[in-house]
Amino acid sequence: MPTDIYPMVGVRSFGGGCFASGEISGSETRYPRLLHLAAGDFVYPKLMAWEGAFAFVPEALAGGFVSPEFCTFEVNESQADPRYLHYLFQRPETWREVARNSAGTNVRRRRLYPGGFLDHEIQLPSIAEQRRIVAQLHEVLERVRASTEMLRRSVLLSEALPVTAAHRSDTADGERVARGWTHTSLGEVLTPAPDEVIVDPATSYPNLGILSFGRGLFEKPPIDGAQTSAKKLFRVHADQFIYSRLFAFEGAYGVVDESFDGYYVSNEFPCFDVDTRRVHPRFLAAYFRSPSVWEALAIRSKGLGVRRQRVQPEAILDYEIWLPSLAEQNQIARMVELGHASDRLRSRMNTHLDALRVAALNQAFDHSR
């Protein structure tokens, strides 16, 4: 009905499970009908099956709806344990095998229709054997999940610690002064430093971007001097403070590390030299990871609509902060560096844990054949 409200459900790729994708009214959908989901239904989107978007509907999402672009099935539990099928469809090899029955020529637009899905053959041991495999996998994968969660929490803690230390919102102004902190505008310690370069059509320029939410810098494809419409670019240097005018509202601030020294950006990325006699660049990196700073500076933005507002350099330079002593800033900088090391370790460990998870799935189902 046009006036009815329908809670919609989506399915994440790579075996990520179901999620609530918001509500729509009957008047907001172009489909004449929607598919109603029950707990335990097996569901997948026709278009994303090739990258593992298979899931079972949990109790929390029972009663939700999907569009006709999804396929839903009930499990014959006299033949198959749903938990066994759940683990089977967590396996990348299963996704690749099932995807061979998809229709279409463009890989990313191929659809897996119900007929092609149901034609796929699997090895199905006895119910007792399925349950034995499920029990073994649950034990191993639960340990993998617990290890992954422990790593995630440790990184969150290591990231939060320098931000908290840089702000010390629990400390009164008088105590800050007694500890050697000073109150100053950023214009006292930052100097705009545009290193302008005229674009040469015969040159390729290494390029960087800034991740939102204070997550640092990342490498972008190089800028081809013959292809870009820009007449000039700006070279950045190690230990400069840099931000994105357009995405400052969501924390696109950072400090240039050695690996990006000599890279180039457009004029949408103002750069500043840091007075290192008073400020450690890594202290600024920690300070600008706080959402309260992004919000305060966004208020000074110009533009129509939150996502089009630009924070101008003048707003940065006028912004006032409390600066700890250099000794405290050095401690905070070490926390930042330890956080980066922790994040790299977590990334490596997660790679190993993902490999262990896939290996456990492969071993279980290869041995069940």
Side-chain angles (χ1 to χ4, degrees):
M1 296 290 292
T3 57
D4 288 347
I5 301 297
Y6 300 91
M8 302 301 292
V9 173
V11 179
R12 295 185 179 90
S13 298
F14 311 112
C18 294
F19 65 96
S21 60
E23 296 181 338
I24 62 170
S25 66
S27 62
E28 292 176 310
T29 179
R30 60 187 174 88
Y31 297 108
R33 64 186 182 88
L34 298 172
L35 305 180
H36 191 243
L37 298 175
D41 282 353
F42 183 83
V43 59
Y44 72 86
K46 298 171 189 173
L47 191 58
M48 304 302 293
W50 65 274
E51 61 178 15
F54 298 99
F56 281 89
V57 178
E59 287 284 352
L61 296 177
F65 295 84
V66 291
S67 78
E69 284 298 313
F70 287 72
C71 300
T72 63
F73 304 87
E74 293 181 3
V75 177
N76 180 352
E77 296 191 26
S78 67
Q79 298 294 317
D81 188 314
R83 298 170 301 169
Y84 179 86
L85 295 179
H86 164 74
Y87 285 131
L88 178 65
F89 280 90
Q90 289 279 303
R91 185 171 173 250
E93 184 60 28
T94 300
W95 311 337
R96 289 188 285 270
E97 291 170 353
V98 175
R100 297 188 187 115
N101 294 335
S102 298
T105 55
N106 184 326
V107 172
R108 297 193 67 85
R109 303 299 299 174
R110 297 181 71 193
R111 281 175 161 78
L112 180 62
Y113 292 101
F117 176 74
L118 293 174
D119 282 344
H120 179 69
E121 295 184 355
I122 63 172
Q123 295 292 329
L124 200 61
S126 68
I127 287 288
E129 178 64 8
Q130 290 178 48
R131 290 172 180 164
R132 185 191 67 79
I133 292 170
V134 165
Q136 287 185 337
L137 278 173
H138 177 76
E139 182 179 357
V140 173
L141 297 185
E142 181 59 24
R143 291 181 181 180
V144 171
R145 185 205 63 77
S147 298
T148 302
E149 177 62 14
M150 182 177 66
L151 283 172
R152 186 188 71 84
R153 293 190 178 193
S154 68
V155 169
L156 288 177
L157 180 61
S158 66
E159 290 177 345
L161 187 59
V163 180
T164 301
H167 285 265
R168 288 305 304 264
S169 55
D170 60 327
T171 305
D173 290 353
E175 185 179 345
R176 288 173 173 164
V177 172
R179 291 172 56 173
W181 290 42
T182 57
H183 193 253
T184 186
S185 68
L186 286 174
E188 294 293 319
V189 294
L190 296 180
T191 303
D195 185 1
E196 183 178 309
V197 174
I198 302 301
V199 172
D200 179 355
T203 301
S204 178
Y205 298 89
N207 186 23
L208 65 81
I210 307 177
L211 295 166
S212 295
F213 311 113
R215 292 178 296 142
L217 280 54
F218 68 98
E219 185 165 9
K220 297 173 68 175
I223 299 170
D224 186 335
Q227 298 294 323
T228 182
S229 61
K231 302 300 181 185
K232 57 187 177 182
L233 295 171
F234 296 85
R235 185 164 39 214
V236 304
H237 302 279
D239 288 337
Q240 285 183 326
F241 178 74
I242 186 172
Y243 77 98
S244 164
R245 297 180 205 252
L246 186 56
F247 292 102
F249 77 95
E250 60 180 18
Y253 296 94
V255 169
V256 180
D257 60 40
E258 290 287 347
S259 64
F260 290 107
D261 185 51
Y263 275 56
Y264 294 82
V265 293
S266 74
N267 65 353
E268 286 293 331
F269 297 85
C271 292
F272 304 82
D273 285 337
V274 179
D275 182 355
T276 54
R277 296 170 301 175
R278 297 186 61 191
V279 183
H280 196 299
R282 298 295 175 270
F283 164 79
L284 287 178
Y287 190 91
F288 274 85
R289 292 196 69 171
S290 171
S292 65
V293 177
W294 317 336
E295 292 164 7
L297 284 165
I299 293 172
R300 311 176 186 203
S301 301
K302 296 179 180 179
L304 298 175
V306 172
R307 298 194 67 85
R308 300 304 300 174
Q309 292 175 347
R310 283 173 163 80
V311 172
Q312 300 300 334
E314 295 77 18
I316 299 290
L317 296 173
D318 288 343
Y319 189 72
E320 296 183 350
I321 69 171
W322 279 97
L323 282 179
S325 66
L326 271 177
E328 281 196 60
Q329 290 185 50
N330 288 335
Q331 291 177 345
I332 293 167
R334 283 194 289 273
M335 293 179 195
V336 172
E337 290 161 3
L338 287 172
H340 291 332
S342 175
D343 195 36
R344 290 192 294 270
L345 176 61
R346 180 187 69 90
S347 180
R348 291 196 297 271
M349 290 297 294
N350 275 338
T351 298
H352 293 315
L353 288 169
D354 286 343
L356 175 60
R357 180 175 175 277
V358 171
L361 289 166
N362 286 340
Q363 183 179 41
F365 290 108
D366 286 345
H367 286 182
S368 70
R369 296 185 176 186

